[in-house]
mmCIF file of all heavy atoms in Angstrom:
data_model
loop_
_atom_site.group_PDB
_atom_site.id
_atom_site.type_symbol
_atom_site.label_atom_id
_atom_site.label_comp_id
_atom_site.label_asym_id
_atom_site.label_seq_id
_atom_site.Cartn_x
_atom_site.Cartn_y
_atom_site.Cartn_z
ATOM 1 N N THR N 295 0.844 -1.218 0.003
ATOM 2 C CA THR N 295 -0.018 -0.004 0.024
ATOM 3 C C THR N 295 0.864 1.254 0.013
ATOM 4 O O THR N 295 0.608 2.225 -0.703
ATOM 5 C CB THR N 295 -0.938 -0.011 1.226
ATOM 6 O OG1 THR N 295 -1.801 -1.143 1.163
ATOM 7 C CG2 THR N 295 -1.755 1.287 1.276
ATOM 8 N N ALA N 296 1.930 1.210 0.801
ATOM 9 C CA ALA N 296 2.858 2.404 0.843
ATOM 10 C C ALA N 296 3.480 2.620 -0.551
ATOM 11 O O ALA N 296 3.579 3.768 -1.008
ATOM 12 C CB ALA N 296 3.931 2.125 1.828
ATOM 13 N N ILE N 297 3.885 1.590 -1.215
ATOM 14 C CA ILE N 297 4.477 1.695 -2.543
ATOM 15 C C ILE N 297 3.465 2.265 -3.518
ATOM 16 O O ILE N 297 3.696 3.172 -4.298
ATOM 17 C CB ILE N 297 5.025 0.343 -3.056
ATOM 18 C CG1 ILE N 297 6.221 -0.104 -2.232
ATOM 19 C CG2 ILE N 297 5.384 0.433 -4.559
ATOM 20 C CD1 ILE N 297 6.716 -1.506 -2.582
ATOM 21 N N ARG N 298 2.224 1.776 -3.469
ATOM 22 C CA ARG N 298 1.164 2.222 -4.350
ATOM 23 C C ARG N 298 0.874 3.707 -4.137
ATOM 24 O O ARG N 298 0.709 4.482 -5.099
ATOM 25 C CB ARG N 298 -0.111 1.420 -4.138
ATOM 26 C CG ARG N 298 -1.251 1.791 -5.095
ATOM 27 C CD ARG N 298 -2.587 1.214 -4.594
ATOM 28 N NE ARG N 298 -2.883 1.765 -3.273
ATOM 29 C CZ ARG N 298 -3.737 1.231 -2.461
ATOM 30 N NH1 ARG N 298 -4.308 0.065 -2.755
ATOM 31 N NH2 ARG N 298 -4.013 1.808 -1.295
ATOM 32 N N ASP N 299 0.828 4.099 -2.867
ATOM 33 C CA ASP N 299 0.458 5.497 -2.590
ATOM 34 C C ASP N 299 1.499 6.449 -3.063
ATOM 35 O O ASP N 299 1.215 7.603 -3.408
ATOM 36 C CB ASP N 299 0.269 5.644 -1.051
ATOM 37 C CG ASP N 299 -1.010 4.969 -0.547
ATOM 38 O OD1 ASP N 299 -1.852 4.567 -1.380
ATOM 39 O OD2 ASP N 299 -1.137 4.772 0.681
ATOM 40 N N LYS N 300 2.779 6.026 -3.055
ATOM 41 C CA LYS N 300 3.889 6.913 -3.433
ATOM 42 C C LYS N 300 4.265 6.817 -4.929
ATOM 43 O O LYS N 300 4.833 7.743 -5.474
ATOM 44 C CB LYS N 300 5.131 6.615 -2.569
ATOM 45 C CG LYS N 300 4.938 6.882 -1.093
ATOM 46 C CD LYS N 300 4.871 8.372 -0.806
ATOM 47 C CE LYS N 300 4.838 8.673 0.677
ATOM 48 N NZ LYS N 300 4.733 10.124 1.001
ATOM 49 N N THR N 301 3.952 5.685 -5.558
ATOM 50 C CA THR N 301 4.403 5.455 -6.887
ATOM 51 C C THR N 301 3.312 5.122 -7.923
ATOM 52 O O THR N 301 3.600 5.078 -9.136
ATOM 53 C CB THR N 301 5.469 4.351 -6.950
ATOM 54 O OG1 THR N 301 4.829 3.084 -6.629
ATOM 55 C CG2 THR N 301 6.562 4.553 -5.968
ATOM 56 N N GLN N 302 2.142 4.814 -7.429
ATOM 57 C CA GLN N 302 1.014 4.362 -8.271
ATOM 58 C C GLN N 302 1.285 2.920 -8.840
ATOM 59 O O GLN N 302 0.591 2.513 -9.769
ATOM 60 C CB GLN N 302 0.751 5.282 -9.398
ATOM 61 C CG GLN N 302 0.464 6.747 -8.965
ATOM 62 C CD GLN N 302 -0.645 6.821 -7.911
ATOM 63 O OE1 GLN N 302 -1.727 6.324 -8.107
ATOM 64 N NE2 GLN N 302 -0.382 7.486 -6.805
ATOM 65 N N ILE N 303 2.275 2.227 -8.349
ATOM 66 C CA ILE N 303 2.522 0.879 -8.748
ATOM 67 C C ILE N 303 1.635 -0.095 -7.923
ATOM 68 O O ILE N 303 1.793 -0.135 -6.701
ATOM 69 C CB ILE N 303 4.020 0.459 -8.550
ATOM 70 C CG1 ILE N 303 4.907 1.435 -9.383
ATOM 71 C CG2 ILE N 303 4.282 -0.942 -8.995
ATOM 72 C CD1 ILE N 303 6.416 1.255 -9.050
ATOM 73 N N GLU N 304 0.783 -0.790 -8.577
ATOM 74 C CA GLU N 304 -0.140 -1.756 -7.914
ATOM 75 C C GLU N 304 0.518 -3.113 -7.885
ATOM 76 O O GLU N 304 0.657 -3.741 -8.925
ATOM 77 C CB GLU N 304 -1.451 -1.817 -8.640
ATOM 78 C CG GLU N 304 -2.459 -2.713 -7.925
ATOM 79 C CD GLU N 304 -2.787 -2.237 -6.462
ATOM 80 O OE1 GLU N 304 -3.437 -1.144 -6.313
ATOM 81 O OE2 GLU N 304 -2.332 -2.946 -5.532
ATOM 82 N N ILE N 305 0.984 -3.525 -6.721
ATOM 83 C CA ILE N 305 1.658 -4.830 -6.613
ATOM 84 C C ILE N 305 0.672 -5.915 -6.105
ATOM 85 O O ILE N 305 0.770 -7.035 -6.586
ATOM 86 C CB ILE N 305 2.860 -4.695 -5.629
ATOM 87 C CG1 ILE N 305 3.873 -3.688 -6.166
ATOM 88 C CG2 ILE N 305 3.545 -6.026 -5.444
ATOM 89 C CD1 ILE N 305 5.055 -3.380 -5.272
ATOM 90 N N TYR N 306 -0.158 -5.575 -5.158
ATOM 91 C CA TYR N 306 -0.988 -6.586 -4.561
ATOM 92 C C TYR N 306 -2.207 -6.880 -5.457
ATOM 93 O O TYR N 306 -3.349 -6.579 -5.081
ATOM 94 C CB TYR N 306 -1.427 -6.130 -3.174
ATOM 95 C CG TYR N 306 -1.549 -7.245 -2.156
ATOM 96 C CD1 TYR N 306 -1.230 -8.582 -2.438
ATOM 97 C CD2 TYR N 306 -2.008 -7.031 -0.861
ATOM 98 C CE1 TYR N 306 -1.286 -9.583 -1.520
ATOM 99 C CE2 TYR N 306 -2.098 -7.979 0.079
ATOM 100 C CZ TYR N 306 -1.756 -9.307 -0.257
ATOM 101 O OH TYR N 306 -1.859 -10.318 0.665
ATOM 102 N N THR N 307 -1.917 -7.476 -6.537
ATOM 103 C CA THR N 307 -2.990 -7.829 -7.518
ATOM 104 C C THR N 307 -3.686 -9.114 -7.085
ATOM 105 O O THR N 307 -3.250 -9.830 -6.212
ATOM 106 C CB THR N 307 -2.369 -8.051 -8.902
ATOM 107 O OG1 THR N 307 -1.430 -9.116 -8.828
ATOM 108 C CG2 THR N 307 -1.647 -6.785 -9.363
ATOM 109 N N ALA N 308 -4.825 -9.412 -7.741
ATOM 110 C CA ALA N 308 -5.551 -10.644 -7.469
ATOM 111 C C ALA N 308 -4.661 -11.844 -7.750
ATOM 112 O O ALA N 308 -4.716 -12.823 -7.022
ATOM 113 C CB ALA N 308 -6.823 -10.713 -8.347
ATOM 114 N N ALA N 309 -3.783 -11.752 -8.766
ATOM 115 C CA ALA N 309 -2.905 -12.920 -9.083
ATOM 116 C C ALA N 309 -1.992 -13.166 -7.943
ATOM 117 O O ALA N 309 -1.699 -14.314 -7.561
ATOM 118 C CB ALA N 309 -2.151 -12.580 -10.361
ATOM 119 N N LEU N 310 -1.401 -12.106 -7.333
ATOM 120 C CA LEU N 310 -0.444 -12.318 -6.261
ATOM 121 C C LEU N 310 -1.170 -12.785 -5.035
ATOM 122 O O LEU N 310 -0.664 -13.684 -4.264
ATOM 123 C CB LEU N 310 0.294 -11.043 -5.963
ATOM 124 C CG LEU N 310 1.423 -11.117 -4.911
ATOM 125 C CD1 LEU N 310 2.433 -12.198 -5.290
ATOM 126 C CD2 LEU N 310 2.134 -9.809 -4.718
ATOM 127 N N LYS N 311 -2.375 -12.300 -4.752
ATOM 128 C CA LYS N 311 -3.147 -12.749 -3.629
ATOM 129 C C LYS N 311 -3.462 -14.263 -3.788
ATOM 130 O O LYS N 311 -3.400 -15.036 -2.784
ATOM 131 C CB LYS N 311 -4.451 -11.956 -3.479
ATOM 132 C CG LYS N 311 -4.221 -10.562 -3.013
ATOM 133 C CD LYS N 311 -5.547 -9.789 -2.888
ATOM 134 C CE LYS N 311 -5.318 -8.364 -2.435
ATOM 135 N NZ LYS N 311 -6.571 -7.612 -2.355
ATOM 136 N N ASN N 312 -3.807 -14.660 -5.013
ATOM 137 C CA ASN N 312 -4.046 -16.094 -5.244
ATOM 138 C C ASN N 312 -2.770 -16.944 -4.990
ATOM 139 O O ASN N 312 -2.787 -18.037 -4.484
ATOM 140 C CB ASN N 312 -4.547 -16.297 -6.670
ATOM 141 C CG ASN N 312 -5.983 -15.949 -6.826
ATOM 142 O OD1 ASN N 312 -6.809 -16.005 -5.922
ATOM 143 N ND2 ASN N 312 -6.399 -15.485 -8.048
ATOM 144 N N LYS N 313 -1.633 -16.372 -5.413
ATOM 145 C CA LYS N 313 -0.339 -17.051 -5.144
ATOM 146 C C LYS N 313 -0.111 -17.226 -3.652
ATOM 147 O O LYS N 313 0.238 -18.325 -3.192
ATOM 148 C CB LYS N 313 0.784 -16.282 -5.796
ATOM 149 C CG LYS N 313 2.150 -16.955 -5.714
ATOM 150 C CD LYS N 313 3.193 -16.198 -6.523
ATOM 151 C CE LYS N 313 4.514 -16.921 -6.512
ATOM 152 N NZ LYS N 313 5.516 -16.181 -7.302
ATOM 153 N N PHE N 314 -0.348 -16.175 -2.872
ATOM 154 C CA PHE N 314 -0.211 -16.262 -1.439
ATOM 155 C C PHE N 314 -1.205 -17.280 -0.839
ATOM 156 O O PHE N 314 -0.860 -18.072 0.036
ATOM 157 C CB PHE N 314 -0.416 -14.898 -0.765
ATOM 158 C CG PHE N 314 0.696 -13.979 -1.004
ATOM 159 C CD1 PHE N 314 0.601 -12.617 -0.553
ATOM 160 C CD2 PHE N 314 1.898 -14.357 -1.577
ATOM 161 C CE1 PHE N 314 1.657 -11.716 -0.678
ATOM 162 C CE2 PHE N 314 2.954 -13.427 -1.774
ATOM 163 C CZ PHE N 314 2.821 -12.142 -1.324
ATOM 164 N N ALA N 315 -2.421 -17.223 -1.329
ATOM 165 C CA ALA N 315 -3.466 -18.194 -0.867
ATOM 166 C C ALA N 315 -3.018 -19.615 -1.136
ATOM 167 O O ALA N 315 -3.257 -20.497 -0.319
ATOM 168 C CB ALA N 315 -4.832 -17.874 -1.518
ATOM 169 N N GLY N 316 -2.414 -19.844 -2.317
ATOM 170 C CA GLY N 316 -1.964 -21.168 -2.651
ATOM 171 C C GLY N 316 -0.858 -21.650 -1.698
ATOM 172 O O GLY N 316 -0.866 -22.814 -1.292
ATOM 173 N N ILE N 317 0.029 -20.742 -1.317
ATOM 174 C CA ILE N 317 1.097 -21.068 -0.381
ATOM 175 C C ILE N 317 0.522 -21.457 0.973
ATOM 176 O O ILE N 317 0.896 -22.487 1.611
ATOM 177 C CB ILE N 317 2.114 -19.921 -0.223
ATOM 178 C CG1 ILE N 317 2.856 -19.681 -1.517
ATOM 179 C CG2 ILE N 317 3.071 -20.161 0.914
ATOM 180 C CD1 ILE N 317 3.725 -18.410 -1.578
ATOM 181 N N LEU N 318 -0.438 -20.674 1.426
ATOM 182 C CA LEU N 318 -1.117 -20.975 2.735
ATOM 183 C C LEU N 318 -1.869 -22.293 2.684
ATOM 184 O O LEU N 318 -1.807 -23.111 3.612
ATOM 185 C CB LEU N 318 -2.107 -19.862 3.102
ATOM 186 C CG LEU N 318 -1.493 -18.460 3.370
ATOM 187 C CD1 LEU N 318 -2.633 -17.526 3.803
ATOM 188 C CD2 LEU N 318 -0.392 -18.527 4.411
ATOM 189 N N ASN N 319 -2.539 -22.561 1.536
ATOM 190 C CA ASN N 319 -3.294 -23.796 1.392
ATOM 191 C C ASN N 319 -2.347 -25.043 1.453
ATOM 192 O O ASN N 319 -2.638 -26.016 2.160
ATOM 193 C CB ASN N 319 -4.036 -23.766 0.072
ATOM 194 C CG ASN N 319 -4.812 -25.076 -0.162
ATOM 195 O OD1 ASN N 319 -5.604 -25.511 0.698
ATOM 196 N ND2 ASN N 319 -4.621 -25.662 -1.313
ATOM 197 N N ILE N 320 -1.235 -24.955 0.714
ATOM 198 C CA ILE N 320 -0.274 -26.060 0.706
ATOM 199 C C ILE N 320 0.322 -26.235 2.120
ATOM 200 O O ILE N 320 0.488 -27.356 2.620
ATOM 201 C CB ILE N 320 0.782 -25.792 -0.357
ATOM 202 C CG1 ILE N 320 0.246 -25.905 -1.760
ATOM 203 C CG2 ILE N 320 1.957 -26.795 -0.169
ATOM 204 C CD1 ILE N 320 1.186 -25.473 -2.851
ATOM 205 N N THR N 321 0.655 -25.132 2.767
ATOM 206 C CA THR N 321 1.229 -25.208 4.111
ATOM 207 C C THR N 321 0.281 -25.915 5.062
ATOM 208 O O THR N 321 0.659 -26.809 5.796
ATOM 209 C CB THR N 321 1.491 -23.791 4.618
ATOM 210 O OG1 THR N 321 2.502 -23.197 3.768
ATOM 211 C CG2 THR N 321 2.001 -23.819 6.062
ATOM 212 N N ALA N 322 -0.996 -25.472 5.060
ATOM 213 C CA ALA N 322 -1.975 -26.081 5.966
ATOM 214 C C ALA N 322 -2.258 -27.560 5.628
ATOM 215 O O ALA N 322 -2.361 -28.398 6.522
ATOM 216 C CB ALA N 322 -3.281 -25.327 5.933
ATOM 217 N N ALA N 323 -2.276 -27.878 4.300
ATOM 218 C CA ALA N 323 -2.518 -29.266 3.879
ATOM 219 C C ALA N 323 -1.373 -30.160 4.288
ATOM 220 O O ALA N 323 -1.608 -31.289 4.815
ATOM 221 C CB ALA N 323 -2.730 -29.280 2.412
ATOM 222 N N GLU N 324 -0.128 -29.708 4.125
ATOM 223 C CA GLU N 324 1.014 -30.502 4.493
ATOM 224 C C GLU N 324 1.121 -30.677 6.041
ATOM 225 O O GLU N 324 1.414 -31.787 6.533
ATOM 226 C CB GLU N 324 2.287 -29.885 3.958
ATOM 227 C CG GLU N 324 2.424 -30.019 2.448
ATOM 228 C CD GLU N 324 3.700 -29.441 1.913
ATOM 229 O OE1 GLU N 324 4.481 -28.862 2.693
ATOM 230 O OE2 GLU N 324 3.911 -29.522 0.690
ATOM 231 N N ALA N 325 0.801 -29.599 6.784
ATOM 232 C CA ALA N 325 0.780 -29.720 8.193
ATOM 233 C C ALA N 325 -0.337 -30.653 8.646
ATOM 234 O O ALA N 325 -0.175 -31.403 9.608
ATOM 235 C CB ALA N 325 0.631 -28.348 8.826
ATOM 236 N N GLY N 326 -1.483 -30.562 7.945
ATOM 237 C CA GLY N 326 -2.609 -31.444 8.281
ATOM 238 C C GLY N 326 -2.253 -32.900 8.051
ATOM 239 O O GLY N 326 -2.651 -33.767 8.837
ATOM 240 N N ARG N 327 -1.502 -33.199 7.020
ATOM 241 C CA ARG N 327 -1.083 -34.610 6.781
ATOM 242 C C ARG N 327 -0.136 -35.085 7.889
ATOM 243 O O ARG N 327 -0.194 -36.217 8.321
ATOM 244 C CB ARG N 327 -0.388 -34.717 5.459
ATOM 245 C CG ARG N 327 -1.349 -34.696 4.289
ATOM 246 C CD ARG N 327 -0.700 -35.167 2.977
ATOM 247 N NE ARG N 327 0.223 -34.189 2.427
ATOM 248 C CZ ARG N 327 -0.137 -33.221 1.632
ATOM 249 N NH1 ARG N 327 -1.392 -33.075 1.266
ATOM 250 N NH2 ARG N 327 0.776 -32.377 1.132
ATOM 251 N N ALA N 328 0.680 -34.132 8.429
ATOM 252 C CA ALA N 328 1.552 -34.533 9.545
ATOM 253 C C ALA N 328 0.720 -34.796 10.771
ATOM 254 O O ALA N 328 0.989 -35.721 11.560
ATOM 255 C CB ALA N 328 2.533 -33.359 9.827
ATOM 256 N N ILE N 329 -0.321 -34.016 10.978
ATOM 257 C CA ILE N 329 -1.229 -34.249 12.136
ATOM 258 C C ILE N 329 -1.913 -35.581 11.997
ATOM 259 O O ILE N 329 -2.052 -36.374 12.920
ATOM 260 C CB ILE N 329 -2.244 -33.121 12.207
ATOM 261 C CG1 ILE N 329 -1.613 -31.799 12.587
ATOM 262 C CG2 ILE N 329 -3.343 -33.423 13.261
ATOM 263 C CD1 ILE N 329 -2.496 -30.558 12.427
ATOM 264 N N ASN N 330 -2.367 -35.907 10.730
ATOM 265 C CA ASN N 330 -2.993 -37.149 10.504
ATOM 266 C C ASN N 330 -2.084 -38.282 10.782
ATOM 267 O O ASN N 330 -2.441 -39.385 11.237
ATOM 268 C CB ASN N 330 -3.537 -37.191 9.082
ATOM 269 C CG ASN N 330 -4.458 -38.385 8.800
ATOM 270 O OD1 ASN N 330 -5.334 -38.628 9.631
ATOM 271 N ND2 ASN N 330 -4.293 -39.079 7.742
ATOM 272 N N GLY N 331 -0.755 -38.106 10.436
ATOM 273 C CA GLY N 331 0.182 -39.125 10.688
ATOM 274 C C GLY N 331 0.391 -39.380 12.161
ATOM 275 O O GLY N 331 0.775 -40.536 12.577
ATOM 276 N N GLU N 332 0.137 -38.396 12.992
ATOM 277 C CA GLU N 332 0.303 -38.593 14.437
ATOM 278 C C GLU N 332 -0.934 -39.076 15.172
ATOM 279 O O GLU N 332 -0.859 -39.816 16.110
ATOM 280 C CB GLU N 332 0.751 -37.226 15.098
ATOM 281 C CG GLU N 332 2.097 -36.758 14.625
ATOM 282 C CD GLU N 332 2.458 -35.362 15.155
ATOM 283 O OE1 GLU N 332 1.684 -34.912 16.058
ATOM 284 O OE2 GLU N 332 3.453 -34.796 14.741
ATOM 285 N N PHE N 333 -2.142 -38.640 14.611
ATOM 286 C CA PHE N 333 -3.334 -38.891 15.346
ATOM 287 C C PHE N 333 -4.396 -39.584 14.580
ATOM 288 O O PHE N 333 -5.400 -40.111 15.116
ATOM 289 C CB PHE N 333 -3.911 -37.573 15.905
ATOM 290 C CG PHE N 333 -3.094 -36.987 16.999
ATOM 291 C CD1 PHE N 333 -2.175 -35.993 16.698
ATOM 292 C CD2 PHE N 333 -3.269 -37.364 18.315
ATOM 293 C CE1 PHE N 333 -1.360 -35.446 17.690
ATOM 294 C CE2 PHE N 333 -2.490 -36.778 19.308
ATOM 295 C CZ PHE N 333 -1.548 -35.813 18.993
ATOM 296 N N GLY N 334 -4.346 -39.493 13.220
ATOM 297 C CA GLY N 334 -5.456 -39.965 12.426
ATOM 298 C C GLY N 334 -5.318 -41.393 11.931
ATOM 299 O O GLY N 334 -4.555 -42.212 12.452
ATOM 300 N N GLU N 335 -6.024 -41.724 10.863
ATOM 301 C CA GLU N 335 -6.033 -43.030 10.332
ATOM 302 C C GLU N 335 -4.671 -43.455 9.750
ATOM 303 O O GLU N 335 -4.444 -44.639 9.644
ATOM 304 C CB GLU N 335 -7.109 -43.194 9.232
ATOM 305 C CG GLU N 335 -8.536 -43.038 9.856
ATOM 306 C CD GLU N 335 -9.588 -43.267 8.767
ATOM 307 O OE1 GLU N 335 -9.182 -43.473 7.566
ATOM 308 O OE2 GLU N 335 -10.727 -43.308 9.090
ATOM 309 N N ASP N 336 -3.874 -42.490 9.398
ATOM 310 C CA ASP N 336 -2.549 -42.850 8.850
ATOM 311 C C ASP N 336 -1.500 -43.103 9.921
ATOM 312 O O ASP N 336 -0.352 -43.411 9.635
ATOM 313 C CB ASP N 336 -2.045 -41.719 7.968
ATOM 314 C CG ASP N 336 -2.903 -41.477 6.751
ATOM 315 O OD1 ASP N 336 -3.670 -42.429 6.404
ATOM 316 O OD2 ASP N 336 -2.877 -40.392 6.166
ATOM 317 N N SER N 337 -1.904 -42.903 11.157
ATOM 318 C CA SER N 337 -0.946 -43.022 12.267
ATOM 319 C C SER N 337 -0.372 -44.402 12.419
ATOM 320 O O SER N 337 -1.086 -45.384 12.291
ATOM 321 C CB SER N 337 -1.585 -42.562 13.587
ATOM 322 O OG SER N 337 -0.719 -42.794 14.628
ATOM 323 N N THR N 338 0.916 -44.512 12.661
ATOM 324 C CA THR N 338 1.557 -45.768 12.953
ATOM 325 C C THR N 338 1.888 -45.895 14.435
ATOM 326 O O THR N 338 2.456 -46.882 14.883
ATOM 327 C CB THR N 338 2.875 -45.913 12.161
ATOM 328 O OG1 THR N 338 3.727 -44.841 12.526
ATOM 329 C CG2 THR N 338 2.613 -45.906 10.656
#
């Protein structure tokens, strides 16, 4: 926002937000699989 206000360069586009959302989704999914490995049906 600071960059946009001073330069009119729009960085936080929908495409970048989707990229960030994808990173969060993968992070949570991988952590969830680890949880399942400890407590769920995949647990050994």
Side-chain angles (χ1 to χ4, degrees):
T295 298
I297 292 174
R298 182 194 64 200
D299 291 346
K300 295 291 186 179
T301 68
Q302 305 305 307
I303 301 171
E304 184 60 70
I305 298 174
Y306 215 5
T307 60
L310 186 56
K311 289 180 181 179
N312 284 329
K313 186 174 184 178
F314 286 175
I317 292 171
L318 295 184
N319 179 53
I320 290 172
T321 297
E324 291 182 355
R327 284 194 287 273
I329 293 170
N330 191 45
E332 294 175 10
F333 291 93
E335 294 185 355
D336 296 340
S337 173
T338 59

